[in-house]
Amino acid sequence: MAPVLTVASARPTLLVGGLLVVVLLAGVLVFATVRTRTTTESAETDEADAPAHPDAWRVRRLLDEHGGRLPQSEIVERTGWSKSKVSRVLSAMAEDEQVRKIRIGRENLVTRPGDVPEHAGSPFDDDTPKG
């Protein structure tokens, strides 16, 4: 006589099968998350204009809103950051050639590289021969 399968004897089998399905789905989810995160991180690091500082995006947005030029004191005022924080962010951006700081009297004018005023540079920066 064949053994009779009862509900009580089937429960452990269903439980193990269900557990395997959950583990399999969790593995797929983890794999997809890791793959997406790795793809996103590599895309961010490949950008040529990746921010030099985590807060650089805010300075870039301000410059975009104001025609590419803004006094450093305006950046302090509009962001609410301390003078030293603005200076650190701008120095990192300048080092990465994302902005230029032009000294005008006792103030810095911050510009995007393409928005530097025509007469703002030093006469010694010109590489063309004179005479």
mmCIF file with all atom_site columns, all heavy atoms in Angstrom, residues 87-108:
data_model
loop_
_atom_site.group_PDB
_atom_site.id
_atom_site.type_symbol
_atom_site.label_atom_id
_atom_site.label_alt_id
_atom_site.label_comp_id
_atom_site.label_asym_id
_atom_site.label_entity_id
_atom_site.label_seq_id
_atom_site.pdbx_PDB_ins_code
_atom_site.Cartn_x
_atom_site.Cartn_y
_atom_site.Cartn_z
_atom_site.occupancy
_atom_site.B_iso_or_equiv
_atom_site.pdbx_formal_charge
_atom_site.auth_seq_id
_atom_site.auth_comp_id
_atom_site.auth_asym_id
_atom_site.auth_atom_id
_atom_site.pdbx_PDB_model_num
ATOM 1   N N   . SER A 1 87  ? 34.941 79.673 0.957   1.00 0.00 ? 87  SER A N   1
ATOM 2   C CA  . SER A 1 87  ? 36.320 79.723 0.479   1.00 0.00 ? 87  SER A CA  1
ATOM 3   C C   . SER A 1 87  ? 36.854 78.327 0.179   1.00 0.00 ? 87  SER A C   1
ATOM 4   O O   . SER A 1 87  ? 37.511 78.116 -0.852  1.00 0.00 ? 87  SER A O   1
ATOM 5   C CB  . SER A 1 87  ? 37.191 80.413 1.525   1.00 0.00 ? 87  SER A CB  1
ATOM 6   O OG  . SER A 1 87  ? 38.522 80.492 1.079   1.00 0.00 ? 87  SER A OG  1
ATOM 7   N N   . ARG A 1 88  ? 36.567 77.359 1.051   1.00 0.00 ? 88  ARG A N   1
ATOM 8   C CA  . ARG A 1 88  ? 37.024 75.980 0.823   1.00 0.00 ? 88  ARG A CA  1
ATOM 9   C C   . ARG A 1 88  ? 36.396 75.388 -0.433  1.00 0.00 ? 88  ARG A C   1
ATOM 10  O O   . ARG A 1 88  ? 37.077 74.750 -1.251  1.00 0.00 ? 88  ARG A O   1
ATOM 11  C CB  . ARG A 1 88  ? 36.694 75.095 2.023   1.00 0.00 ? 88  ARG A CB  1
ATOM 12  C CG  . ARG A 1 88  ? 37.602 75.266 3.204   1.00 0.00 ? 88  ARG A CG  1
ATOM 13  C CD  . ARG A 1 88  ? 37.409 74.159 4.240   1.00 0.00 ? 88  ARG A CD  1
ATOM 14  N NE  . ARG A 1 88  ? 36.014 73.937 4.622   1.00 0.00 ? 88  ARG A NE  1
ATOM 15  C CZ  . ARG A 1 88  ? 35.398 74.554 5.623   1.00 0.00 ? 88  ARG A CZ  1
ATOM 16  N NH1 . ARG A 1 88  ? 36.040 75.436 6.347   1.00 0.00 ? 88  ARG A NH1 1
ATOM 17  N NH2 . ARG A 1 88  ? 34.138 74.286 5.903   1.00 0.00 ? 88  ARG A NH2 1
ATOM 18  N N   . VAL A 1 89  ? 35.076 75.578 -0.590  1.00 0.00 ? 89  VAL A N   1
ATOM 19  C CA  . VAL A 1 89  ? 34.373 75.031 -1.758  1.00 0.00 ? 89  VAL A CA  1
ATOM 20  C C   . VAL A 1 89  ? 34.932 75.660 -3.032  1.00 0.00 ? 89  VAL A C   1
ATOM 21  O O   . VAL A 1 89  ? 35.245 74.961 -4.007  1.00 0.00 ? 89  VAL A O   1
ATOM 22  C CB  . VAL A 1 89  ? 32.852 75.265 -1.648  1.00 0.00 ? 89  VAL A CB  1
ATOM 23  C CG1 . VAL A 1 89  ? 32.150 74.883 -2.940  1.00 0.00 ? 89  VAL A CG1 1
ATOM 24  C CG2 . VAL A 1 89  ? 32.267 74.487 -0.479  1.00 0.00 ? 89  VAL A CG2 1
ATOM 25  N N   . LEU A 1 90  ? 35.102 76.992 -3.031  1.00 0.00 ? 90  LEU A N   1
ATOM 26  C CA  . LEU A 1 90  ? 35.593 77.679 -4.223  1.00 0.00 ? 90  LEU A CA  1
ATOM 27  C C   . LEU A 1 90  ? 37.040 77.306 -4.533  1.00 0.00 ? 90  LEU A C   1
ATOM 28  O O   . LEU A 1 90  ? 37.407 77.173 -5.698  1.00 0.00 ? 90  LEU A O   1
ATOM 29  C CB  . LEU A 1 90  ? 35.457 79.193 -4.058  1.00 0.00 ? 90  LEU A CB  1
ATOM 30  C CG  . LEU A 1 90  ? 34.026 79.715 -4.015  1.00 0.00 ? 90  LEU A CG  1
ATOM 31  C CD1 . LEU A 1 90  ? 34.021 81.212 -3.762  1.00 0.00 ? 90  LEU A CD1 1
ATOM 32  C CD2 . LEU A 1 90  ? 33.266 79.377 -5.293  1.00 0.00 ? 90  LEU A CD2 1
ATOM 33  N N   . SER A 1 91  ? 37.852 77.117 -3.502  1.00 0.00 ? 91  SER A N   1
ATOM 34  C CA  . SER A 1 91  ? 39.247 76.715 -3.738  1.00 0.00 ? 91  SER A CA  1
ATOM 35  C C   . SER A 1 91  ? 39.312 75.341 -4.392  1.00 0.00 ? 91  SER A C   1
ATOM 36  O O   . SER A 1 91  ? 40.097 75.119 -5.318  1.00 0.00 ? 91  SER A O   1
ATOM 37  C CB  . SER A 1 91  ? 40.028 76.711 -2.431  1.00 0.00 ? 91  SER A CB  1
ATOM 38  O OG  . SER A 1 91  ? 40.178 78.026 -1.958  1.00 0.00 ? 91  SER A OG  1
ATOM 39  N N   . ALA A 1 92  ? 38.481 74.407 -3.910  1.00 0.00 ? 92  ALA A N   1
ATOM 40  C CA  . ALA A 1 92  ? 38.446 73.076 -4.518  1.00 0.00 ? 92  ALA A CA  1
ATOM 41  C C   . ALA A 1 92  ? 37.964 73.163 -5.960  1.00 0.00 ? 92  ALA A C   1
ATOM 42  O O   . ALA A 1 92  ? 38.506 72.489 -6.849  1.00 0.00 ? 92  ALA A O   1
ATOM 43  C CB  . ALA A 1 92  ? 37.537 72.151 -3.709  1.00 0.00 ? 92  ALA A CB  1
ATOM 44  N N   . MET A 1 93  ? 36.961 73.994 -6.201  1.00 0.00 ? 93  MET A N   1
ATOM 45  C CA  . MET A 1 93  ? 36.446 74.144 -7.561  1.00 0.00 ? 93  MET A CA  1
ATOM 46  C C   . MET A 1 93  ? 37.471 74.818 -8.473  1.00 0.00 ? 93  MET A C   1
ATOM 47  O O   . MET A 1 93  ? 37.617 74.438 -9.638  1.00 0.00 ? 93  MET A O   1
ATOM 48  C CB  . MET A 1 93  ? 35.130 74.935 -7.545  1.00 0.00 ? 93  MET A CB  1
ATOM 49  C CG  . MET A 1 93  ? 33.980 74.201 -6.883  1.00 0.00 ? 93  MET A CG  1
ATOM 50  S SD  . MET A 1 93  ? 32.483 75.207 -6.809  1.00 0.00 ? 93  MET A SD  1
ATOM 51  C CE  . MET A 1 93  ? 31.956 75.134 -8.538  1.00 0.00 ? 93  MET A CE  1
ATOM 52  N N   . ALA A 1 94  ? 38.182 75.812 -7.954  1.00 0.00 ? 94  ALA A N   1
ATOM 53  C CA  . ALA A 1 94  ? 39.201 76.506 -8.749  1.00 0.00 ? 94  ALA A CA  1
ATOM 54  C C   . ALA A 1 94  ? 40.349 75.564 -9.084  1.00 0.00 ? 94  ALA A C   1
ATOM 55  O O   . ALA A 1 94  ? 40.873 75.570 -10.203 1.00 0.00 ? 94  ALA A O   1
ATOM 56  C CB  . ALA A 1 94  ? 39.705 77.730 -8.001  1.00 0.00 ? 94  ALA A CB  1
ATOM 57  N N   . GLU A 1 95  ? 40.727 74.736 -8.121  1.00 0.00 ? 95  GLU A N   1
ATOM 58  C CA  . GLU A 1 95  ? 41.794 73.761 -8.355  1.00 0.00 ? 95  GLU A CA  1
ATOM 59  C C   . GLU A 1 95  ? 41.389 72.769 -9.436  1.00 0.00 ? 95  GLU A C   1
ATOM 60  O O   . GLU A 1 95  ? 42.222 72.306 -10.216 1.00 0.00 ? 95  GLU A O   1
ATOM 61  C CB  . GLU A 1 95  ? 42.096 73.019 -7.050  1.00 0.00 ? 95  GLU A CB  1
ATOM 62  C CG  . GLU A 1 95  ? 43.337 72.169 -7.107  1.00 0.00 ? 95  GLU A CG  1
ATOM 63  C CD  . GLU A 1 95  ? 43.661 71.580 -5.752  1.00 0.00 ? 95  GLU A CD  1
ATOM 64  O OE1 . GLU A 1 95  ? 43.882 72.351 -4.802  1.00 0.00 ? 95  GLU A OE1 1
ATOM 65  O OE2 . GLU A 1 95  ? 43.669 70.338 -5.652  1.00 0.00 ? 95  GLU A OE2 1
ATOM 66  N N   . ASP A 1 96  ? 40.100 72.466 -9.506  1.00 0.00 ? 96  ASP A N   1
ATOM 67  C CA  . ASP A 1 96  ? 39.566 71.548 -10.512 1.00 0.00 ? 96  ASP A CA  1
ATOM 68  C C   . ASP A 1 96  ? 39.173 72.286 -11.801 1.00 0.00 ? 96  ASP A C   1
ATOM 69  O O   . ASP A 1 96  ? 38.573 71.698 -12.687 1.00 0.00 ? 96  ASP A O   1
ATOM 70  C CB  . ASP A 1 96  ? 38.347 70.836 -9.930  1.00 0.00 ? 96  ASP A CB  1
ATOM 71  C CG  . ASP A 1 96  ? 38.332 69.360 -10.229 1.00 0.00 ? 96  ASP A CG  1
ATOM 72  O OD1 . ASP A 1 96  ? 39.401 68.796 -10.455 1.00 0.00 ? 96  ASP A OD1 1
ATOM 73  O OD2 . ASP A 1 96  ? 37.224 68.786 -10.239 1.00 0.00 ? 96  ASP A OD2 1
ATOM 74  N N   . GLU A 1 97  ? 39.475 73.574 -11.869 1.00 0.00 ? 97  GLU A N   1
ATOM 75  C CA  . GLU A 1 97  ? 39.195 74.436 -13.020 1.00 0.00 ? 97  GLU A CA  1
ATOM 76  C C   . GLU A 1 97  ? 37.708 74.516 -13.362 1.00 0.00 ? 97  GLU A C   1
ATOM 77  O O   . GLU A 1 97  ? 37.320 74.626 -14.519 1.00 0.00 ? 97  GLU A O   1
ATOM 78  C CB  . GLU A 1 97  ? 40.025 74.014 -14.230 1.00 0.00 ? 97  GLU A CB  1
ATOM 79  C CG  . GLU A 1 97  ? 41.515 74.154 -14.001 1.00 0.00 ? 97  GLU A CG  1
ATOM 80  C CD  . GLU A 1 97  ? 42.358 73.745 -15.189 1.00 0.00 ? 97  GLU A CD  1
ATOM 81  O OE1 . GLU A 1 97  ? 41.788 73.319 -16.224 1.00 0.00 ? 97  GLU A OE1 1
ATOM 82  O OE2 . GLU A 1 97  ? 43.584 73.854 -15.078 1.00 0.00 ? 97  GLU A OE2 1
ATOM 83  N N   . GLN A 1 98  ? 36.865 74.450 -12.323 1.00 0.00 ? 98  GLN A N   1
ATOM 84  C CA  . GLN A 1 98  ? 35.423 74.604 -12.533 1.00 0.00 ? 98  GLN A CA  1
ATOM 85  C C   . GLN A 1 98  ? 34.992 76.055 -12.365 1.00 0.00 ? 98  GLN A C   1
ATOM 86  O O   . GLN A 1 98  ? 33.943 76.437 -12.870 1.00 0.00 ? 98  GLN A O   1
ATOM 87  C CB  . GLN A 1 98  ? 34.648 73.714 -11.564 1.00 0.00 ? 98  GLN A CB  1
ATOM 88  C CG  . GLN A 1 98  ? 34.843 72.251 -11.838 1.00 0.00 ? 98  GLN A CG  1
ATOM 89  C CD  . GLN A 1 98  ? 34.059 71.386 -10.885 1.00 0.00 ? 98  GLN A CD  1
ATOM 90  O OE1 . GLN A 1 98  ? 33.452 71.861 -9.934  1.00 0.00 ? 98  GLN A OE1 1
ATOM 91  N NE2 . GLN A 1 98  ? 34.066 70.096 -11.130 1.00 0.00 ? 98  GLN A NE2 1
ATOM 92  N N   . VAL A 1 99  ? 35.785 76.840 -11.640 1.00 0.00 ? 99  VAL A N   1
ATOM 93  C CA  . VAL A 1 99  ? 35.530 78.274 -11.485 1.00 0.00 ? 99  VAL A CA  1
ATOM 94  C C   . VAL A 1 99  ? 36.865 78.997 -11.494 1.00 0.00 ? 99  VAL A C   1
ATOM 95  O O   . VAL A 1 99  ? 37.923 78.388 -11.344 1.00 0.00 ? 99  VAL A O   1
ATOM 96  C CB  . VAL A 1 99  ? 34.784 78.623 -10.166 1.00 0.00 ? 99  VAL A CB  1
ATOM 97  C CG1 . VAL A 1 99  ? 33.405 78.005 -10.124 1.00 0.00 ? 99  VAL A CG1 1
ATOM 98  C CG2 . VAL A 1 99  ? 35.599 78.260 -8.947  1.00 0.00 ? 99  VAL A CG2 1
ATOM 99  N N   . ARG A 1 100 ? 36.795 80.325 -11.666 1.00 0.00 ? 100 ARG A N   1
ATOM 100 C CA  . ARG A 1 100 ? 37.972 81.186 -11.492 1.00 0.00 ? 100 ARG A CA  1
ATOM 101 C C   . ARG A 1 100 ? 37.623 82.227 -10.463 1.00 0.00 ? 100 ARG A C   1
ATOM 102 O O   . ARG A 1 100 ? 36.517 82.759 -10.453 1.00 0.00 ? 100 ARG A O   1
ATOM 103 C CB  . ARG A 1 100 ? 38.341 81.871 -12.802 1.00 0.00 ? 100 ARG A CB  1
ATOM 104 C CG  . ARG A 1 100 ? 38.979 80.883 -13.739 1.00 0.00 ? 100 ARG A CG  1
ATOM 105 C CD  . ARG A 1 100 ? 39.991 81.412 -14.703 1.00 0.00 ? 100 ARG A CD  1
ATOM 106 N NE  . ARG A 1 100 ? 40.858 82.458 -14.239 1.00 0.00 ? 100 ARG A NE  1
ATOM 107 C CZ  . ARG A 1 100 ? 41.352 83.391 -15.029 1.00 0.00 ? 100 ARG A CZ  1
ATOM 108 N NH1 . ARG A 1 100 ? 41.026 83.415 -16.298 1.00 0.00 ? 100 ARG A NH1 1
ATOM 109 N NH2 . ARG A 1 100 ? 42.167 84.312 -14.566 1.00 0.00 ? 100 ARG A NH2 1
ATOM 110 N N   . LYS A 1 101 ? 38.570 82.516 -9.598  1.00 0.00 ? 101 LYS A N   1
ATOM 111 C CA  . LYS A 1 101 ? 38.405 83.584 -8.615  1.00 0.00 ? 101 LYS A CA  1
ATOM 112 C C   . LYS A 1 101 ? 39.291 84.735 -9.062  1.00 0.00 ? 101 LYS A C   1
ATOM 113 O O   . LYS A 1 101 ? 40.502 84.587 -9.177  1.00 0.00 ? 101 LYS A O   1
ATOM 114 C CB  . LYS A 1 101 ? 38.800 83.119 -7.209  1.00 0.00 ? 101 LYS A CB  1
ATOM 115 C CG  . LYS A 1 101 ? 37.879 82.055 -6.652  1.00 0.00 ? 101 LYS A CG  1
ATOM 116 C CD  . LYS A 1 101 ? 38.068 81.810 -5.161  1.00 0.00 ? 101 LYS A CD  1
ATOM 117 C CE  . LYS A 1 101 ? 39.413 81.271 -4.796  1.00 0.00 ? 101 LYS A CE  1
ATOM 118 N NZ  . LYS A 1 101 ? 39.531 80.921 -3.371  1.00 0.00 ? 101 LYS A NZ  1
ATOM 119 N N   . ILE A 1 102 ? 38.653 85.872 -9.308  1.00 0.00 ? 102 ILE A N   1
ATOM 120 C CA  . ILE A 1 102 ? 39.382 87.043 -9.783  1.00 0.00 ? 102 ILE A CA  1
ATOM 121 C C   . ILE A 1 102 ? 39.348 88.083 -8.675  1.00 0.00 ? 102 ILE A C   1
ATOM 122 O O   . ILE A 1 102 ? 38.270 88.467 -8.204  1.00 0.00 ? 102 ILE A O   1
ATOM 123 C CB  . ILE A 1 102 ? 38.729 87.604 -11.061 1.00 0.00 ? 102 ILE A CB  1
ATOM 124 C CG1 . ILE A 1 102 ? 38.710 86.515 -12.138 1.00 0.00 ? 102 ILE A CG1 1
ATOM 125 C CG2 . ILE A 1 102 ? 39.456 88.847 -11.528 1.00 0.00 ? 102 ILE A CG2 1
ATOM 126 C CD1 . ILE A 1 102 ? 37.779 86.820 -13.282 1.00 0.00 ? 102 ILE A CD1 1
ATOM 127 N N   . ARG A 1 103 ? 40.522 88.516 -8.267  1.00 0.00 ? 103 ARG A N   1
ATOM 128 C CA  . ARG A 1 103 ? 40.636 89.496 -7.182  1.00 0.00 ? 103 ARG A CA  1
ATOM 129 C C   . ARG A 1 103 ? 40.336 90.889 -7.732  1.00 0.00 ? 103 ARG A C   1
ATOM 130 O O   . ARG A 1 103 ? 40.988 91.352 -8.662  1.00 0.00 ? 103 ARG A O   1
ATOM 131 C CB  . ARG A 1 103 ? 42.053 89.443 -6.596  1.00 0.00 ? 103 ARG A CB  1
ATOM 132 C CG  . ARG A 1 103 ? 42.200 90.209 -5.345  1.00 0.00 ? 103 ARG A CG  1
ATOM 133 C CD  . ARG A 1 103 ? 41.626 89.389 -4.233  1.00 0.00 ? 103 ARG A CD  1
ATOM 134 N NE  . ARG A 1 103 ? 41.852 90.065 -2.968  1.00 0.00 ? 103 ARG A NE  1
ATOM 135 C CZ  . ARG A 1 103 ? 41.166 89.807 -1.895  1.00 0.00 ? 103 ARG A CZ  1
ATOM 136 N NH1 . ARG A 1 103 ? 40.241 88.888 -1.920  1.00 0.00 ? 103 ARG A NH1 1
ATOM 137 N NH2 . ARG A 1 103 ? 41.404 90.441 -0.795  1.00 0.00 ? 103 ARG A NH2 1
ATOM 138 N N   . ILE A 1 104 ? 39.328 91.546 -7.154  1.00 0.00 ? 104 ILE A N   1
ATOM 139 C CA  . ILE A 1 104 ? 38.982 92.918 -7.534  1.00 0.00 ? 104 ILE A CA  1
ATOM 140 C C   . ILE A 1 104 ? 38.950 93.712 -6.230  1.00 0.00 ? 104 ILE A C   1
ATOM 141 O O   . ILE A 1 104 ? 37.998 93.591 -5.446  1.00 0.00 ? 104 ILE A O   1
ATOM 142 C CB  . ILE A 1 104 ? 37.617 92.991 -8.248  1.00 0.00 ? 104 ILE A CB  1
ATOM 143 C CG1 . ILE A 1 104 ? 37.659 92.146 -9.517  1.00 0.00 ? 104 ILE A CG1 1
ATOM 144 C CG2 . ILE A 1 104 ? 37.251 94.445 -8.546  1.00 0.00 ? 104 ILE A CG2 1
ATOM 145 C CD1 . ILE A 1 104 ? 36.349 92.071 -10.256 1.00 0.00 ? 104 ILE A CD1 1
ATOM 146 N N   . GLY A 1 105 ? 39.994 94.477 -5.997  1.00 0.00 ? 105 GLY A N   1
ATOM 147 C CA  . GLY A 1 105 ? 40.093 95.208 -4.731  1.00 0.00 ? 105 GLY A CA  1
ATOM 148 C C   . GLY A 1 105 ? 40.200 94.235 -3.568  1.00 0.00 ? 105 GLY A C   1
ATOM 149 O O   . GLY A 1 105 ? 41.089 93.408 -3.518  1.00 0.00 ? 105 GLY A O   1
ATOM 150 N N   . ARG A 1 106 ? 39.248 94.330 -2.647  1.00 0.00 ? 106 ARG A N   1
ATOM 151 C CA  . ARG A 1 106 ? 39.245 93.441 -1.484  1.00 0.00 ? 106 ARG A CA  1
ATOM 152 C C   . ARG A 1 106 ? 38.256 92.296 -1.643  1.00 0.00 ? 106 ARG A C   1
ATOM 153 O O   . ARG A 1 106 ? 37.977 91.574 -0.696  1.00 0.00 ? 106 ARG A O   1
ATOM 154 C CB  . ARG A 1 106 ? 38.894 94.265 -0.240  1.00 0.00 ? 106 ARG A CB  1
ATOM 155 C CG  . ARG A 1 106 ? 39.940 95.317 0.066   1.00 0.00 ? 106 ARG A CG  1
ATOM 156 C CD  . ARG A 1 106 ? 39.550 96.193 1.219   1.00 0.00 ? 106 ARG A CD  1
ATOM 157 N NE  . ARG A 1 106 ? 39.285 95.414 2.419   1.00 0.00 ? 106 ARG A NE  1
ATOM 158 C CZ  . ARG A 1 106 ? 38.690 95.892 3.495   1.00 0.00 ? 106 ARG A CZ  1
ATOM 159 N NH1 . ARG A 1 106 ? 38.302 97.141 3.537   1.00 0.00 ? 106 ARG A NH1 1
ATOM 160 N NH2 . ARG A 1 106 ? 38.488 95.124 4.537   1.00 0.00 ? 106 ARG A NH2 1
ATOM 161 N N   . GLU A 1 107 ? 37.709 92.127 -2.828  1.00 0.00 ? 107 GLU A N   1
ATOM 162 C CA  . GLU A 1 107 ? 36.650 91.148 -3.083  1.00 0.00 ? 107 GLU A CA  1
ATOM 163 C C   . GLU A 1 107 ? 37.079 90.199 -4.192  1.00 0.00 ? 107 GLU A C   1
ATOM 164 O O   . GLU A 1 107 ? 37.874 90.557 -5.052  1.00 0.00 ? 107 GLU A O   1
ATOM 165 C CB  . GLU A 1 107 ? 35.382 91.899 -3.503  1.00 0.00 ? 107 GLU A CB  1
ATOM 166 C CG  . GLU A 1 107 ? 34.233 91.034 -3.940  1.00 0.00 ? 107 GLU A CG  1
ATOM 167 C CD  . GLU A 1 107 ? 33.391 90.524 -2.788  1.00 0.00 ? 107 GLU A CD  1
ATOM 168 O OE1 . GLU A 1 107 ? 33.880 89.671 -2.026  1.00 0.00 ? 107 GLU A OE1 1
ATOM 169 O OE2 . GLU A 1 107 ? 32.271 90.984 -2.644  1.00 0.00 ? 107 GLU A OE2 1
ATOM 170 N N   . ASN A 1 108 ? 36.542 88.990 -4.164  1.00 0.00 ? 108 ASN A N   1
ATOM 171 C CA  . ASN A 1 108 ? 36.739 88.030 -5.251  1.00 0.00 ? 108 ASN A CA  1
ATOM 172 C C   . ASN A 1 108 ? 35.493 87.978 -6.109  1.00 0.00 ? 108 ASN A C   1
ATOM 173 O O   . ASN A 1 108 ? 34.379 87.893 -5.586  1.00 0.00 ? 108 ASN A O   1
ATOM 174 C CB  . ASN A 1 108 ? 37.005 86.622 -4.708  1.00 0.00 ? 108 ASN A CB  1
ATOM 175 C CG  . ASN A 1 108 ? 38.402 86.432 -4.185  1.00 0.00 ? 108 ASN A CG  1
ATOM 176 O OD1 . ASN A 1 108 ? 39.332 87.110 -4.619  1.00 0.00 ? 108 ASN A OD1 1
ATOM 177 N ND2 . ASN A 1 108 ? 38.564 85.530 -3.249  1.00 0.00 ? 108 ASN A ND2 1
#
